Amino acid sequence: MAGRASVEMVFEMPAELEELSKLAEAVEGFVEENGLPAKLGFQLNLVLDELLTNTISYGCADGAQCRLEVRLRLRGDKKKGEVVLVIEDDAAPFNPLDVPPPDLDKPLEEREVGGLGVHLVRATMDTIDYERDGGLNRLTLRKKLES
Amino acid sequence: MELKETNEGDVAVLAPVGRIDSSNAKQFEEALLGRLTTTEGGVLVDLSELQYISSAGLRVVLLAAKQQQQKGRKFALCSPSPEILEVFEVSGFNKIIDIHQQKNDALAKF
């Protein structure tokens, strides 16, 4: 299948936490159909869970009617290619890259209990780009597939 | 979200089953922290039946570890899947919480 351009999954959802389990199933289906490792499915779902939970809980609070769109694309060969995740929403402007990294070296009694979500996203993906485009937040996240 | 419990001597072994994410982390928090208020001894959280955990669940684990420490009681984790172990390591939890691959090894340290 070398030279194959790309396969893509598009998932649109209202801003409700209950929708996340449907998205997770769709991502697992995509991973399975394309012969990608199950670990990648776990990681992509973690990234989506963390980012969309933030958007739904904070960006779309106050009863705003937000729409979220997730595009998951496999580019190139499944051994040497990459996955590209694009998340768009019409919630309040929010750049998760502005969230300061947690201090992981503090002793237990001083560790803060929050702030790990975006950290997990950064640690999992290779690159993350944010842009505000018109009324949309758009995050593009890439991860190279390990052979 | 189910939290199974067994007792090994005076150690309470608590095993969350399934997935912990933002939709049920509150339930996990009530179950785990609620149990900590009634236990007298050490607590081992057995992760062998946990398939998934997000930062919402990590927060609860950290709260539990802090509470046990404040009371001078032991707290440890055991039997994570490779993916879940990685989540704990990336979060730096392996530096502040004892994490064991095997339940027996974990119990031997109590």
Side-chain angles (χ1 to χ4, degrees):
Chain A
M1 296 289 276
R4 167 173 74 176
S6 67
V7 276
E8 187 177 58
M9 175 195 103
V10 181
F11 192 92
E12 282 184 65
M13 56 185 262
E16 290 162 14
L17 291 176
E18 296 73 38
E19 293 288 314
L20 290 174
S21 57
K22 290 179 207 161
L23 172 62
E25 275 174 35
V27 169
E28 271 162 30
F30 181 89
V31 163
E32 207 170 296
E33 278 164 29
N34 290 289
L36 299 167
K39 182 180 177 180
L40 182 69
F42 181 101
Q43 292 172 322
L44 292 173
N45 275 326
L46 181 65
V47 164
L48 286 167
D49 183 354
E50 299 295 354
L51 292 170
L52 296 177
T53 293
N54 279 348
T55 304
I56 294 167
S57 306
Y58 305 110
C60 300
D62 308 327
Q65 295 288 313
C66 297
R67 293 290 301 176
L68 306 168
E69 185 188 273
V70 173
R71 294 200 299 274
L72 174 58
R73 195 180 312 146
L74 168 62
R75 289 172 53 137
D77 185 73
K78 70 180 182 190
K79 290 219 164 81
K80 284 185 201 151
E82 64 172 358
V83 284
V84 184
L85 200 52
V86 181
I87 305 171
E88 279 181 6
D89 64 69
D90 56 3
F94 176 66
N95 181 357
L97 299 174
D98 291 339
V99 176
D103 185 345
L104 304 182
D105 294 319
K106 284 188 178 168
L108 177 59
E109 59 273 22
E110 292 172 27
R111 268 295 294 263
E112 289 175 27
V113 291
L116 285 170
V118 174
H119 171 70
L120 288 172
V121 173
R122 287 175 190 264
T124 304
M125 303 304 286
D126 295 330
T127 65
I128 307 171
D129 293 293
Y130 171 81
E131 59 188 327
R132 182 77 186 171
D133 181 3
L136 296 177
N137 293 303
R138 182 182 302 122
L139 268 179
T140 305
L141 307 100
R142 295 167 189 272
K143 186 175 178 64
K144 283 203 166 56
L145 299 169
E146 293 154 17
S147 52
Chain B
M1 215 289 308
E2 188 193 350
L3 188 65
K4 287 187 189 170
E5 172 162 357
T6 53
N7 288 284
E8 301 274 352
D10 55 1
V11 180
V13 181
L14 306 175
V17 180
R19 301 169 55 85
I20 303 172
D21 57 27
S22 48
S23 74
N24 65 3
K26 196 75 204 164
Q27 248 181 296
F28 177 53
E29 180 172 345
E30 282 163 11
L32 180 60
L33 300 190
R35 188 64 191 86
L36 294 192
T37 61
T38 55
T39 187
E40 298 288 317
V43 168
L44 176 62
V45 178
D46 179 350
L47 304 172
S48 58
E49 293 181 69
L50 186 66
Q51 288 151 13
Y52 175 84
I53 189 165
S54 74
S55 65
L58 294 179
R59 179 183 162 275
V60 178
V61 171
L62 193 54
L63 284 172
K66 281 171 177 271
Q67 284 195 12
Q68 285 291 99
Q69 188 191 44
Q70 278 165 11
K71 292 178 184 163
R73 294 172 187 162
K74 202 159 162 44
F75 181 84
L77 308 174
C78 73
S79 314
S81 70
E83 289 85 359
I84 287 178
L85 178 61
E86 196 172 308
V87 169
F88 279 103
E89 287 177 344
V90 165
S91 305
F93 279 25
N94 52 324
K95 297 182 205 167
I96 48 176
I97 300 173
D98 287 334
I99 306 177
H100 300 272
Q101 283 302 331
Q102 304 292 333
K103 183 175 163 186
N104 286 342
D105 294 344
L107 286 169
K109 298 278 169 59
F110 274 82

XYZ file of all heavy atoms in Angstrom, chain B residues 25-65:
304
model
N -15.244 10.462 37.024
C -14.182 10.668 38.012
C -14.761 11.060 39.376
O -14.199 10.725 40.422
C -13.195 11.730 37.525
N -15.884 11.770 39.360
C -16.511 12.194 40.611
C -16.957 10.971 41.429
O -16.780 10.923 42.646
C -17.725 13.086 40.281
C -18.249 13.897 41.441
C -17.331 15.079 41.747
C -17.513 15.506 43.197
N -16.419 16.377 43.664
N -17.502 10.003 40.720
C -17.918 8.739 41.356
C -16.709 8.025 41.961
O -16.768 7.513 43.076
C -18.442 7.815 40.258
C -19.901 7.512 40.263
C -20.176 6.566 39.095
O -19.987 6.942 37.941
N -20.598 5.353 39.396
N -15.626 7.981 41.199
C -14.387 7.343 41.665
C -13.867 8.084 42.891
O -13.431 7.469 43.867
C -13.365 7.362 40.519
C -12.007 6.800 40.869
C -11.875 5.531 41.433
C -10.851 7.534 40.624
C -10.623 5.003 41.753
C -9.603 7.023 40.930
C -9.487 5.759 41.500
N -13.948 9.408 42.857
C -13.477 10.215 43.982
C -14.276 9.893 45.246
O -13.706 9.667 46.315
C -13.601 11.703 43.637
C -13.136 12.617 44.766
C -13.073 14.085 44.354
O -13.113 14.378 43.145
O -12.973 14.935 45.252
N -15.606 9.852 45.100
C -16.443 9.563 46.267
C -16.168 8.164 46.809
O -16.074 7.954 48.022
C -17.928 9.719 45.901
C -18.336 11.188 45.865
C -19.656 11.425 45.127
O -20.363 10.445 44.827
O -19.944 12.602 44.843
N -16.001 7.197 45.905
C -15.785 5.809 46.330
C -14.421 5.653 47.011
O -14.321 5.085 48.110
C -15.894 4.870 45.128
N -13.382 6.174 46.378
C -12.029 5.965 46.916
C -11.787 6.808 48.172
O -11.355 6.287 49.208
C -10.982 6.281 45.833
C -9.522 6.114 46.243
C -9.230 4.663 46.672
C -8.580 6.488 45.086
N -12.070 8.108 48.081
C -11.798 8.959 49.245
C -12.742 8.619 50.398
O -12.358 8.697 51.569
C -11.902 10.447 48.874
C -10.939 10.934 47.792
C -10.962 12.442 47.689
C -9.513 10.443 48.004
N -13.953 8.215 50.058
C -14.901 7.777 51.086
C -14.342 6.579 51.841
O -14.420 6.514 53.074
N -13.759 5.660 51.103
C -13.203 4.460 51.732
C -12.008 4.820 52.616
O -11.804 4.198 53.663
C -12.786 3.471 50.636
C -12.381 2.111 51.132
C -13.547 1.395 51.807
N -13.097 0.198 52.499
C -12.618 0.175 53.744
N -12.530 1.284 54.443
N -12.225 -0.948 54.302
N -11.229 5.807 52.211
C -10.045 6.193 52.996
C -10.432 6.721 54.373
O -9.667 6.598 55.327
C -9.228 7.278 52.279
C -8.548 6.912 50.970
C -7.563 8.002 50.575
C -7.837 5.580 51.040
N -11.617 7.332 54.455
C -12.005 7.907 55.744
C -12.371 6.821 56.748
O -12.371 7.063 57.947
C -13.216 8.865 55.602
O -14.325 8.108 55.103
C -12.916 10.011 54.668
N -12.686 5.615 56.264
C -13.095 4.559 57.199
C -12.008 3.523 57.427
O -12.120 2.704 58.325
C -14.358 3.828 56.692
O -14.103 3.341 55.373
C -15.547 4.767 56.657
N -10.952 3.549 56.616
C -9.911 2.540 56.790
C -8.892 3.000 57.828
O -8.650 4.200 57.988
C -9.210 2.200 55.457
O -8.330 1.095 55.691
C -8.404 3.363 54.916
N -8.342 2.038 58.524
C -7.367 2.345 59.578
C -5.942 2.152 59.092
O -4.995 2.672 59.678
C -7.601 1.411 60.789
C -8.963 1.558 61.434
C -9.093 2.865 62.205
O -8.145 3.225 62.909
O -10.137 3.527 62.069
N -5.802 1.364 58.041
C -4.442 0.974 57.658
C -4.056 1.409 56.268
O -4.493 2.444 55.772
N -3.213 0.613 55.638
C -2.701 0.932 54.310
C -3.718 0.632 53.219
O -4.657 -0.142 53.411
N -3.513 1.272 52.077
C -4.405 1.074 50.937
C -3.577 0.773 49.691
O -2.633 1.495 49.367
C -5.278 2.328 50.695
C -5.985 2.253 49.347
C -6.303 2.488 51.814
N -3.927 -0.323 49.024
C -3.301 -0.673 47.751
C -4.373 -0.569 46.669
O -5.432 -1.196 46.772
C -2.751 -2.105 47.806
C -2.154 -2.652 46.503
C -0.953 -1.826 46.052
C -1.769 -4.116 46.669
N -4.109 0.261 45.661
C -5.048 0.369 44.545
C -4.560 -0.565 43.437
O -3.486 -0.362 42.872
C -5.183 1.824 44.051
C -6.122 1.895 42.849
C -5.714 2.717 45.171
N -5.353 -1.593 43.176
C -5.010 -2.620 42.180
C -5.585 -2.186 40.828
O -6.807 -2.082 40.662
C -5.629 -3.941 42.652
C -5.357 -5.086 41.685
O -4.869 -4.831 40.568
O -5.668 -6.229 42.062
N -4.706 -1.928 39.866
C -5.133 -1.376 38.569
C -5.338 -2.450 37.505
O -5.514 -2.129 36.325
C -4.085 -0.365 38.079
C -3.766 0.789 39.041
C -2.591 1.604 38.528
C -4.976 1.685 39.238
N -5.316 -3.715 37.909
C -5.330 -4.794 36.907
C -6.610 -4.824 36.071
O -6.600 -5.333 34.959
C -5.112 -6.149 37.580
O -6.109 -6.379 38.551
N -7.703 -4.299 36.593
C -8.950 -4.306 35.820
C -9.311 -2.927 35.270
O -10.425 -2.698 34.807
C -10.097 -4.844 36.689
C -9.916 -6.318 37.026
C -11.068 -6.841 37.867
O -12.179 -6.954 37.341
O -10.835 -7.130 39.054
N -8.353 -2.015 35.359
C -8.588 -0.666 34.832
C -8.101 -0.613 33.381
O -6.967 -0.965 33.080
C -7.831 0.362 35.683
C -8.105 1.823 35.344
C -9.546 2.190 35.664
C -7.155 2.745 36.105
N -8.987 -0.179 32.488
C -8.619 -0.146 31.062
C -8.130 1.228 30.621
O -7.427 1.348 29.616
C -9.828 -0.532 30.202
C -10.164 -1.996 30.299
C -11.642 -2.248 30.070
O -12.372 -1.368 29.614
N -12.082 -3.448 30.391
N -8.547 2.258 31.355
C -8.264 3.609 30.872
C -8.355 4.585 32.030
O -9.217 4.443 32.899
C -9.309 3.987 29.814
C -9.211 5.400 29.320
C -8.331 5.741 28.296
C -9.993 6.398 29.881
C -8.233 7.050 27.852
C -9.909 7.715 29.435
C -9.027 8.026 28.421
O -8.932 9.306 27.982
N -7.456 5.567 32.054
C -7.570 6.636 33.057
C -7.099 7.950 32.421
O -6.107 7.979 31.700
C -6.771 6.307 34.335
C -7.068 7.320 35.452
C -5.262 6.230 34.052
C -6.620 6.863 36.838
N -7.849 9.019 32.649
C -7.452 10.336 32.148
C -7.023 11.189 33.338
O -7.046 10.740 34.489
C -8.620 11.009 31.420
O -9.574 11.451 32.365
N -6.661 12.440 33.074
C -6.173 13.315 34.145
C -7.224 13.507 35.241
O -6.876 13.752 36.400
C -5.740 14.671 33.579
O -6.847 15.355 33.038
N -8.501 13.355 34.878
C -9.557 13.479 35.890
C -9.419 12.383 36.943
O -9.688 12.605 38.127
C -10.933 13.415 35.215
N -8.982 11.203 36.520
C -8.756 10.103 37.453
C -7.427 10.233 38.188
O -7.318 9.879 39.360
N -6.422 10.764 37.497
C -5.107 10.966 38.135
C -5.241 11.904 39.328
O -4.604 11.716 40.364
C -4.110 11.573 37.137
C -3.710 10.712 35.945
C -2.745 11.489 35.055
C -3.073 9.407 36.386
N -6.071 12.908 39.165
C -6.313 13.869 40.232
C -6.804 13.161 41.496
O -6.349 13.460 42.604
C -7.358 14.889 39.730
C -7.745 15.926 40.720
C -8.840 16.849 40.173
N -9.461 17.531 41.290
C -10.450 17.012 42.017
N -10.945 15.824 41.743
N -10.931 17.684 43.049
N -7.714 12.218 41.319
C -8.282 11.491 42.461
C -7.215 10.608 43.125
O -7.120 10.545 44.353
C -9.501 10.641 42.010
C -10.051 9.845 43.182
C -10.584 11.530 41.408
N -6.393 9.951 42.311
C -5.319 9.107 42.854
C -4.355 9.958 43.680
O -3.926 9.570 44.773
C -4.567 8.382 41.710
C -3.316 7.678 42.228
C -5.500 7.382 41.019
N -4.051 11.153 43.159
C -3.135 12.037 43.884
C -3.750 12.523 45.201
O -3.067 12.561 46.240
C -2.781 13.229 42.978
C -1.627 14.123 43.394
C -0.361 13.311 43.638
C -1.350 15.164 42.305
N -5.027 12.862 45.168
C -5.718 13.262 46.410
C -5.664 12.142 47.444
O -5.409 12.384 48.634
C -7.184 13.604 46.118
C -7.480 14.954 45.454
C -8.952 15.025 45.056
C -7.122 16.101 46.389
N -5.875 10.909 46.985
C -5.861 9.753 47.893
C -4.466 9.564 48.487
O -4.317 9.340 49.700
C -6.306 8.497 47.140
N -3.445 9.666 47.656
C -2.063 9.500 48.135
C -1.731 10.558 49.176
O -1.104 10.285 50.205
C -1.091 9.591 46.949
